[in-house]
Amino acid sequence: MTVKVRKNKLISNNYVEIQTYLPETELLTNEKRAQADKLDDLLKEAINKINDEYVLKKSTLKNPMQKWQWLGEKIDFLIKNLPFEQKDIDTHLIWPAINQYLSQPLKREDSKRSGTSKDHLNKCWLLFKTKHISWIKTWAGWDAVTDRGDQLLDERLLSVLEEYFNIELSNKDYQFILKEITKYIPSQTKRKEIELMSIDNLKDIVLAVKEKFDLRKKSTEESQ
């Protein structure tokens, strides 16, 4: 489905709001325009309710992980209840369409990542949907997972990581762990390929990383 997005464009030294229908590579028919306009109205109404709810809810959201997981739950509701098509999700068109109506406290502007798999809203949605992430206690830790590719979201892999790394970790620790994991499971690896790996294979990978992690930690402690 075509989605409608408003953007500020610099024209003659002034920013002017313009309406864009995405994807711009597709022919915009009257039918597609009408569908996009209807979806836009539904989105605006639904997200205004989310913004109002956040004002009441924010005092109970103790840290960024809770805040963004809460937003991820709301995004999941939008996806399930509004007339998005699967390709809108697969091509990440929905993120700028949703983001434009979120209140400022719920936005994380990043033009380079907007409308990509690394869009902040996609990460929020994945945070809500993904199991076995109790060992990830900071947003930087979650960034370390999601920035390295979809292959690291394999449920069995995360389950083993949760088993061996459910300890106090710094943001640098998360970076180290996930960087080492991608040496065994590169970002080019497809989820289907990981699904063919046995749980024993995945456990061997995590144990190898855990051994490196423990040696690194010991070396750091001895040098202090």
Side-chain angles (χ1 to χ4, degrees):
M1 176 179 287
T2 303
V3 299
K4 182 178 179 180
V5 176
R6 293 165 180 79
K7 296 181 179 180
N8 289 323
K9 188 173 183 179
L10 186 62
I11 300 176
S12 300
N13 295 322
N14 292 307
Y15 280 100
V16 179
E17 184 180 86
I18 61 171
Q19 294 181 355
T20 304
Y21 291 85
L22 303 176
E24 294 178 301
T25 54
E26 289 187 5
L27 177 65
L28 182 63
T29 64
N30 289 335
E31 181 182 5
K32 287 183 178 180
R33 182 191 292 271
Q35 289 175 340
D37 288 344
K38 181 179 180 181
L39 174 60
D40 183 63
D41 289 339
L42 293 171
L43 263 178
K44 184 176 182 179
E45 180 181 1
I47 296 174
N48 281 340
K49 291 179 181 178
I50 292 173
N51 293 333
D52 291 342
E53 186 177 347
Y54 175 70
V55 173
L56 301 174
K57 186 77 176 179
K58 62 181 179 180
S59 62
T60 67
L61 303 173
K62 304 298 183 182
N63 56 59
M65 288 290 278
Q66 289 183 8
K67 174 183 178 179
W68 300 128
Q69 191 170 46
W70 175 85
L71 181 57
E73 181 181 4
K74 300 305 171 184
I75 291 171
D76 190 65
F77 177 84
L78 294 177
I79 289 172
K80 289 177 178 176
N81 290 276
L82 296 185
F84 288 112
E85 294 179 356
Q86 185 59 44
K87 69 175 184 178
D88 301 329
I89 302 168
D90 295 340
T91 58
H92 307 291
L93 290 178
I94 65 171
W95 309 131
I98 292 173
N99 186 70
Q100 64 185 334
Y101 292 122
L102 287 171
S103 60
Q104 203 58 42
L106 294 176
K107 288 186 177 184
R108 288 277 292 269
E109 299 289 359
D110 187 339
S111 58
K112 291 183 179 180
R113 295 186 172 196
S114 177
T116 72
S117 62
K118 294 183 179 181
D119 192 297
H120 178 72
L121 297 184
N122 187 38
K123 292 182 179 184
C124 292
W125 184 45
L126 291 173
L127 183 66
F128 169 70
K129 295 198 307 170
T130 306
K131 299 178 181 178
H132 304 298
I133 57 172
S134 65
W135 62 286
I136 305 173
K137 297 179 174 63
T138 69
W139 185 258
W142 183 238
D143 255 348
V145 175
T146 53
D147 277 351
R148 283 174 169 78
D150 184 55
Q151 82 284 3
L152 297 189
L153 296 176
D154 180 85
E155 187 173 312
R156 296 171 307 145
L157 174 61
L158 288 172
S159 176
V160 180
L161 284 165
E162 184 178 55
E163 179 182 354
Y164 288 97
F165 285 102
N166 207 346
I167 56 178
E168 185 175 346
L169 297 168
S170 68
N171 291 336
K172 287 185 178 180
D173 289 336
Y174 288 116
Q175 291 287 343
F176 176 84
I177 293 165
L178 277 305
K179 182 179 179 180
E180 290 298 319
I181 288 289
T182 54
K183 291 180 180 179
Y184 297 93
I185 308 176
S187 59
Q188 294 83 3
T189 306
K190 296 180 180 179
R191 286 286 287 275
K192 289 183 179 179
E193 294 177 36
I194 295 181
E195 289 169 3
L196 295 175
M197 298 174 69
S198 70
I199 188 67
D200 288 336
N201 291 149
L202 295 174
K203 185 170 287 189
D204 287 343
I205 290 172
V206 173
L207 285 173
V209 172
K210 182 66 162 61
E211 184 177 356
K212 291 181 180 180
F213 175 82
D214 290 341
L215 287 172
R216 170 179 170 270
K217 184 177 180 181
K218 182 179 179 181
S219 176
T220 301
E221 290 173 348
E222 289 176 348
S223 64
Q224 290 178 346

